[in-house]
Amino acid sequence: MIRQTIAERPNWREVATEYGFNFHTMYGEPYWCEDAYYQFTLAQIEELENTTAELHQMCLQVVERVVNSEELLTKFQIPRHCWEFVRNSWTTQQPSLYSRLDLAYDGKSPAKLLENNADTPTSLYETAFFQWMWLEDQVNAGKLRHDADQFNSLQDKLIERFSELKALHGFNLLHFACCEDTEEDRGTVQYLQDCANEAGLANEFLYIEEIGLGERGQFTDPQDQVISNLFKLYPWEFMFREVFSTKLADAGVRWLEPAWKSIISNKALLPLLWEMFPNHPNLLPAYFSGEAHPELSHYVTKPLFSREGANIQIIENGKEVCKVDGPYGEEGMIIQQFHHLPRFNDSYTLIGSWLVNDEPCGIGLREDRSLITQDLSRYYPHIILD
């Protein structure tokens, strides 16, 4: 795993605008960066692929255990009135679309799972489409060797999955939704709509705030059309606490992601994985903070529902090393043994490893000068070259 410098494509900003990548710079700071790239060997990529597949299957075993335990549903802070709704989504095998595991990996030691973004993962468009375009452009410009490749079948797998949802699961019309005033979320959803269009799956967009409730308890769009299938880039833990959450079970909607994803997108996943698979080479020791556990000299505290690094704190020998403020924490905390992200120059690098329909299919890399990766952490492309 090597970080290599490279000349930027001279027109990449114009290309980004042309293709709707409007969040390549956020709040005046670069988000997409291509003055460098990360180089992996094929063996390293195969290791990441195998690790991702194994960790995902372990996470599914956690779902099976949690849905059958009221004690664990309580620990995961899933409201009691939603228990049967979550359980039913699992027992009826409601289909999923995609997820992203965040891994610490230096190319030499086994990758370590930091968390599972199984419900509303972003950085999708830049991983699936824009970094692949970067690779093709740089090869064609002679800046990269012609045998340079990339671990990235994400777009093809998404299109294939939407085709399956239509042909095998009867998705005739799929609504897509995200919150208003979120440019990155809207860009992610627009990209998914483009993939659905490629698959021939009819779709429509609306904002979460526009979803209505019909006379028979069905969710409706602004045209009073009943919503039967809905992809929502909106977290389950938020939905479970909305007023309409009591209507979820009876609304007749098939959700992407399904409600069982609320279990593995929850940081409570981490101590349960460590309990079920102790000393697994790709796991870090993790515990519920309110319960008895071995003393750790260097650890990270994480709220169950934290997103984009919010309210995460790093402690070493009783002293705070790093902290990010945010709105989370009341729901409870877990602690996880600290594990160093690989450092390149003055920044730390995190790997996001993607799955579509349970299959690993690509990676993206984020850099930050902070030890905690956040929403504005810089995105860098990668290649495979032996």
Side-chain angles (χ1 to χ4, degrees):
M1 182 176 168
I2 307 168
R3 189 184 192 274
Q4 304 273 31
T5 57
I6 190 171
E8 296 183 351
R9 294 169 294 169
N11 64 333
W12 76 259
R13 289 171 180 81
E14 291 79 7
V15 171
T17 300
E18 178 186 350
Y19 283 91
F21 188 10
N22 299 316
F23 51 94
H24 60 75
T25 302
M26 292 192 280
Y27 309 106
E29 295 292 326
Y31 167 64
W32 169 269
C33 296
E34 55 176 72
D35 58 329
Y37 62 89
Y38 283 86
Q39 180 176 318
F40 295 84
T41 66
L42 181 58
Q44 289 169 333
I45 291 297
E46 288 173 343
E47 180 187 353
L48 284 170
E49 185 176 12
N50 293 335
T51 295
T52 298
E54 182 177 359
L55 285 170
H56 179 67
Q57 290 302 317
M58 290 158 58
C59 290
L60 296 183
Q61 292 183 56
V62 171
V63 179
E64 176 67 26
R65 183 172 167 190
V66 173
V67 297
N68 291 302
S69 167
E70 293 187 357
E71 178 187 357
L72 289 174
L73 287 165
T74 302
K75 267 190 178 181
F76 276 64
Q77 291 294 308
I78 295 172
R80 181 179 291 269
H81 70 275
C82 298
W83 287 358
E84 188 54 38
F85 175 66
V86 172
R87 184 181 294 120
N88 187 63
S89 73
W90 177 250
T91 57
T92 59
Q93 299 181 312
Q94 291 296 301
S96 66
L97 182 61
Y98 71 137
S99 60
R100 189 191 80 229
L101 302 182
D102 284 348
L103 305 173
Y105 180 64
D106 62 5
K108 294 172 281 192
S109 305
K112 301 291 187 181
L113 176 67
L114 300 183
E115 60 184 67
N116 189 349
N117 297 276
D119 184 18
T120 58
T122 52
S123 77
L124 177 70
Y125 170 84
E126 48 272 40
T127 300
F129 181 78
F130 208 70
Q131 74 163 339
W132 183 260
M133 179 185 284
W134 166 86
L135 174 67
E136 291 185 325
D137 288 348
Q138 295 290 44
V139 167
N140 291 335
K143 299 290 179 61
L144 291 173
R145 282 170 34 184
H146 279 277
D147 56 342
D149 200 356
Q150 197 173 86
F151 180 35
N152 194 0
S153 61
L154 188 45
Q155 179 165 296
D156 290 342
K157 289 289 196 300
L158 285 168
I159 294 169
E160 180 183 325
R161 183 56 172 160
F162 281 125
S163 296
E164 291 173 352
L165 291 172
K166 179 182 178 183
L168 303 179
H169 298 278
F171 279 58
N172 296 317
L173 173 65
L174 177 58
H175 282 80
F176 286 87
C178 67
C179 291
E180 294 185 70
D181 302 322
T182 53
E183 187 172 35
E184 182 182 1
D185 287 2
R186 183 65 187 98
T188 299
V189 171
Q190 181 60 62
Y191 174 66
L192 284 168
Q193 286 184 264
D194 292 343
C195 291
N197 287 332
E198 283 290 316
L201 175 55
N203 61 88
E204 294 184 12
F205 176 80
L206 74 164
Y207 288 111
I208 288 283
E209 293 86 348
E210 295 178 313
I211 296 175
L213 192 64
E215 292 180 1
R216 298 181 180 179
Q218 298 160 308
F219 293 133
T220 58
D221 67 14
Q223 289 73 46
D224 292 325
Q225 183 175 212
V226 172
I227 297 172
S228 299
N229 307 295
L230 179 62
F231 173 90
K232 44 91 194 155
L233 202 65
Y234 188 65
W236 276 116
E237 64 263 24
F238 292 178
M239 291 183 66
F240 288 162
R241 286 156 179 81
E242 302 275 4
V243 173
F244 68 76
S245 63
T246 57
K247 309 292 184 182
L248 287 169
D250 299 324
V253 177
R254 282 188 297 186
W255 300 90
L256 293 175
E257 299 296 328
W260 57 262
K261 284 286 193 84
S262 64
I263 293 171
I264 55 175
S265 62
N266 187 317
K267 303 296 188 301
L269 166 75
L270 301 170
L272 207 57
L273 279 172
W274 185 248
E275 177 188 325
M276 293 172 65
F277 306 97
N279 301 310
H280 189 282
N282 301 120
L283 296 177
L284 293 167
Y287 310 94
F288 290 98
S289 61
E291 298 182 358
H293 56 78
E295 289 293 324
L296 300 175
S297 61
H298 201 177
Y299 62 91
V300 184
T301 64
K302 300 179 177 182
L304 300 192
F305 300 143
S306 172
R307 291 175 179 273
E308 308 289 5
N311 297 100
I312 287 178
Q313 184 181 32
I314 300 174
I315 304 293
E316 184 174 11
N317 296 322
K319 295 182 180 180
E320 180 182 290
V321 175
C322 189
K323 181 182 179 181
V324 176
D325 293 328
Y328 305 101
E330 290 184 7
E331 65 277 8
M333 311 284 285
I334 65 109
I335 70 166
Q336 183 183 45
Q337 185 181 75
F338 177 80
H339 186 81
H340 264 292
L341 292 173
R343 183 172 180 172
F344 295 87
N345 300 324
D346 64 346
S347 294
Y348 302 92
T349 303
L350 176 78
I351 295 178
S353 187
W354 290 85
L355 303 101
V356 172
N357 188 27
D358 303 332
E359 288 186 40
C361 55
I363 59 170
L365 291 98
R366 304 285 297 278
E367 270 190 12
D368 205 300
R369 291 182 180 89
S370 168
L371 286 165
I372 300 173
T373 307
Q374 301 170 60
D375 59 340
L376 298 182
S377 299
R378 302 178 304 281
Y379 189 104
Y380 278 88
H382 79 278
I383 69 167
I384 308 170
L385 197 62
D386 277 319

